[in-house]
């Protein structure tokens, strides 16, 4: 196992964006969901996207957004990928992909192995599937809740598209998460925050170092 791809999601300041880019993040996520503490305005997102362009894949994270909203993000921010983290249908992903010419990623909420079934329907259209833990019942956020699921349900998953593991990942458990799930791509948000919605540059750097350490350990096994 080597070359694990990392997406740092919910970046909202120039300092943390630079930390993520300098540490080698492959993908950076900008959150367009007003209920989230990580939400960024279009103006803020433009600045952050300009920093990342050519250095990492820019992902615009949306939740049940209409096509007009997606069009504005595409026009002003210019993301490489749209991540759909709500109850969007495969048909709506296909429409966005054709209309905007971007890649599309669909988040699937997991609490048990049976939840994986829907991933096969979305994989027909999506360029990537993101597996996240089902949110706690009292949460208004579909993701970024800092909770995990049983990573072993992803082991030996037969999916025609790449998949990304998310949910409750942090510096001290990412190596185990990679080993148990077999994931080659990981996504995190709350695991590098000093408080809800506030990323910490030092935690970002430490997490990226932990991922590299996990890769080295796996090669030696």
């Amino acid at each position: 196992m080597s070359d694990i791809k990392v997406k740092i999601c919910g970046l909202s300041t120039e300092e943390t964006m630079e930390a993520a880019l300098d540490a080698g993040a492959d993908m950076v996520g900008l959150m367009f969901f007003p209920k989230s503490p990580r939400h960024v305005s279009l103006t803020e997102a433009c600045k952050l996207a300009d920093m990342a362009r050519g250095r990492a894949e820019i992902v615009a994270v949306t939740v049940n957004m209409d096509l007009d909203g997606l069009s504005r993000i595409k026009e002003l921010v210019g993301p490489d990928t749209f991540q759909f983290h709500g109850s969007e249908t495969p048909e709506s992903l296909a429409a966005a992909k054709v209309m905007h010419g971007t890649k599309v990623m669909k988040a699937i909420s997991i609490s048990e192995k049976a939840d994986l079934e829907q991933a096969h329907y979305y994989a027909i259209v999506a360029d990537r599937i993101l597996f996240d833990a089902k949110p706690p019942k009292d949460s208004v956020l579909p993701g970024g809740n800092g909770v995990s699921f049983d990573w072993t349900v992803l082991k030996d998953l037969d999916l025609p598209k790449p998949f990304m593991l998310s949910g409750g990942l942090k510096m001290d458990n990412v190596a185990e998460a990679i080993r148990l799930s077999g994931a080659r791509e990981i996504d995190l948000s709350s695991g590098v925050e000093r408080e809800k919605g506030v990323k910490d540059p030092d935690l970002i750097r430490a997490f990226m170092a932990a991922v590299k350490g996990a890769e080295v350990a796996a090669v030696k096994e």
Side-chain angles (χ1 to χ4, degrees):
M1 177 187 63
S2 62
D3 298 325
I4 299 297
K5 280 192 174 182
V6 178
K7 171 171 165 273
I8 307 291
C9 200
L11 292 160
S12 59
T13 68
E14 293 183 19
E15 182 188 19
T16 53
M17 175 62 79
E18 193 58 48
L21 294 170
D22 284 348
D26 301 280
M27 307 168 77
V28 290
L30 302 175
M31 179 69 65
F32 298 92
F33 185 51
K35 291 182 179 179
S36 171
R38 306 167 185 101
H39 173 71
V40 289
S41 68
L42 285 170
T43 301
E44 293 167 330
C46 287
K47 293 177 184 176
L48 296 172
D50 285 345
M51 293 176 64
R53 211 171 310 282
R55 300 175 67 186
E57 185 173 331
I58 302 164
V59 181
V61 183
T62 65
V63 181
N64 299 326
M65 183 175 284
D66 59 28
L67 287 174
D68 286 343
L70 296 176
S71 294
R72 252 184 104 57
I73 294 172
K74 174 59 179 174
E75 178 185 355
L76 297 175
V77 181
D80 301 298
T81 298
F82 275 111
Q83 177 180 322
F84 297 94
H85 216 110
S87 56
E88 302 90 355
T89 63
E91 291 78 12
S92 64
L93 267 67
K97 191 173 185 177
V98 171
M99 180 177 291
H100 303 300
T102 62
K103 291 183 282 187
V104 295
M105 182 191 319
K106 181 67 179 80
I108 306 289
S109 296
I110 302 294
S111 64
E112 56 186 26
K113 196 173 182 69
D115 295 323
L116 295 175
E117 187 61 36
Q118 58 184 316
H120 295 279
Y121 298 105
Y122 283 101
I124 296 171
V125 176
D127 297 281
R128 177 178 276 103
I129 300 295
L130 183 147
F131 292 110
D132 197 359
K134 282 193 176 178
K137 290 182 180 179
D138 60 348
S139 177
V140 298
L141 304 177
N145 292 292
V147 294
S148 60
F149 61 95
D150 179 4
W151 297 316
T152 62
V153 302
L154 298 180
K155 194 73 172 176
D156 302 320
L157 176 65
D158 183 16
L159 203 63
K161 300 291 176 63
F163 72 87
M164 185 166 270
L165 174 63
S166 185
L169 298 176
K170 47 193 174 182
M171 184 176 63
D172 59 5
N173 70 6
V174 65
E176 182 183 18
I178 291 169
R179 181 177 62 81
L180 292 177
S181 67
R184 304 295 296 270
E185 302 183 358
I186 55 176
D187 168 270
L188 82 156
S189 183
S190 62
V192 288
E193 290 179 346
R194 58 175 175 263
E195 59 184 90
K196 194 78 166 176
V198 182
K199 297 285 186 291
D200 186 305
D202 290 335
L203 289 177
I204 290 173
R205 287 186 280 267
F207 182 86
M208 294 299 295
V211 172
K212 290 173 185 174
E215 292 178 357
V216 170
V219 169
K220 291 180 178 178
E221 287 179 356

